[in-house]
Amino acid sequence: MDRRDTLKSLSLLSAHALFPAVWSAFLSSCSSKEKIEGYEAVFFTDEDLKAAAEIADIIFPATDTPSASEAGVHIFIEKYTMACYDDEQQQVLVAGLRRWQKNVALSDGEKAKKITEMDRKAYANGSDADSQFFRSFKSLTVLGYFFSERGAAAADYVPVPGRFEGCIDLKPGQKVQLLNSMT
Amino acid sequence: MRTQNHFDAIVIGSGMSGGWAAKELTEKGLKTLVLERGRNVEHIKDYPTAHTAPWEFPYAMKATREDRERQPIQSTVFHFGQSNKHFFIDDSENPYIQEKPFNWIRGTQVGGKSLLWSRHVFRWSDLDFEANLKEGVAIDWPIRYKDIEPWYDYVESFIGVSGENAGLSQLPDQIMQPPHEMNCVERHCKQKINAHYPDRHMISARVAVLTQPHLGRGACMSRNMCSRGCPYGAYFSSNSSTLPAAAKTGNMTLRPHSIVHSLIYDKETNRAVGVNVIDSETMETHEFFAEVIFMCASTLGTTQILMNSASDTFPDGFANSSGVLGHYLMDHLEGGFSGGKFRGFDDKYYYGSKPNGMYIPRFRNVSDRHPDFTRGYAFECYSSREHWGRGMNQAGVGSDFKDKLSHPGDWTMVLVGYAECLPYKHNKVTLDKNEKDKWGLPVLSINMDYGENENKMLKDMMKTGAEMLEAAGLEEIWSAEHKSIPGAVIHEMGTARMGRDPKTSVLNAYNQCHDVPNVFITDGSCMTSSACQNPSLTYMALTARACHYAVEELKKGRL
């Protein structure tokens, strides 16, 4: 069974049945391109999933740390939307992804500009559909990224500090600490 | 003739109070049956998520729709999620009626909510024990600080507490290990607030978490994962501490999956001779017998059992000749949030996460008299640097934004108020005549709301919180009501209160039923008032004290 078939059969299981450690290990063994092409969307359409990866990567592009889609954020967003969101939240998110798909002809620069504008409006308390969508989508992007094993590389992951030091010097460039509790 | 169903003592419930009753009674040589409604949870072995990494959880640890449908009440708790949902009750199988909104949070397993608590432990003082009498509110407590002080000493010495003593009359000093260190903003605020308001003190909160090894348990590893169960035993739970001590005596029989239906009353001797139990797995019923019974099934759990144990002698509920059973329900009011940012200390940080913040003990109506309200409130104070999570709520996209979230953000401080709730007769629970649960037990109907005194304190908390942050030099200060729904603070108290007069109370000064001398109630239902301090330490001290008394009485042949 090749990877694509494995993913297909995995996606038939309910999300609860997936042993999370196995799942994340599997994801981290794939490149981002394979993940988009190989992961069979369950709740989204393939086009929705592609749109999610595209927007997430404009929010969190690859730098010295992985991009959002390299960390599997688009897949997280699909799973989270399906399992955790109520009907109305699902509708807002999916409708936003569908609207985004109309921008297929735009250049990368134009897309980035569009997202920057959407972000500005959304966090100035915009009440239009795109603002509602974007607040929801971006919060899931940030959440999914820092909760992923590859995304955690953007922070200083410390599973067992072993002690508490209340007041220490912050070294230049020192990253934010990330505990298993995500604080 | 004693059969295998006969014991010296029965303890109903294995949480904060039940664990202490089990430890004390077994250590005093009594063969003790501990009945727990839920499943068994063994220390370390049954903490399945204690070492789980964030990415090993689905859904970023958050509750799913399915979780929220199964546990609509439990999932309102702020830290409820994939890492700890197994320690909360299944609401769908355990219904109750909300005459007014009431979040009944239950941890139904061996250890109860001692696995989930916030671990804050503060002593009460005579300011609290004397308040009802002085103000003519409800009834007088039958005890004073001097009665419970040695038992606070006793309990603290066993459970292990860390924090800061401050020599305050309203918050007596405790037996403690050194606190976790303050961060630099906490140090700064502590000094500034006290300089500006001499009667207000910001101290390191006192918590049942070890900063040094203690009685075979390890010190805190600063992981901030307490609610998953601590594999180091660094925080006090029944599972890590009292139940192992009870088991060590060889005198404890622990029986999970045991739902207590009712007490068995013998009219001739005026004693509860045993309990009727439904095995939640087999649905079989069992009778167990003992000389003395300790009820520690949680405030409302205990009251539900008493109400379901009505008889010819006690038509309105067991040991309820006073008629007050079910009345005077209290829970602390949470609200009056204030917060702000601290500009400065940009080059300072901390390492790890500590299990406590700071605490501002009650300062209202301590030495003066507030014109608007009686009693008082305390603040829990939390300060940290913003982390990656701020990115969910602020503008920004692209590599700079990502880089920004990879580094610590601004210093923030948030104050959360916790106010005393007065005992009102109309805040009550009753058994519903019509609705029954899957075990055939009538469900509880809850009717509670906060009163004028609590609402006035809420307004004052917003004001004083913000003014203290201002005095400490914080900026962008905000405040908000965020008034809690009754029950949500999980400090439900009252409904089988202690008192001096059998006509107006269920229990005497030793938590013994006035009406039936071999039944003791030592969970939160015994409380005559609520103070504003977290109550678990007081339940534990009252339990140890009542056990000591009960065993002495048993020896004298009086039970």
Side-chain angles (χ1 to χ4, degrees), chain B residues 431-449:
Chain B
L431 280 190
D432 188 79
K433 298 275 187 288
N434 304 312
E435 192 175 339
K436 290 190 171 167
D437 66 17
K438 66 183 269 197
W439 298 283
L441 286 160
V443 307
L444 214 53
S445 185
I446 308 176
N447 187 327
M448 178 178 169
D449 206 353

Side-chain angles (χ1 to χ4, degrees), chain B residues 507-551:
Chain B
L507 305 170
N508 69 13
Y510 292 96
N511 297 75
Q512 180 181 29
C513 289
H514 290 299
D515 292 343
V516 186
N518 74 326
V519 176
F520 291 79
I521 301 175
T522 68
D523 56 30
S525 54
C526 75
M527 305 297 270
T528 312
S529 68
S530 74
C532 66
Q533 298 92 313
N534 307 55
S536 293
L537 180 70
T538 299
Y539 304 164
M540 292 192 266
L542 288 174
T543 302
R545 181 172 175 270
C547 288
H548 178 78
Y549 176 82
V551 172

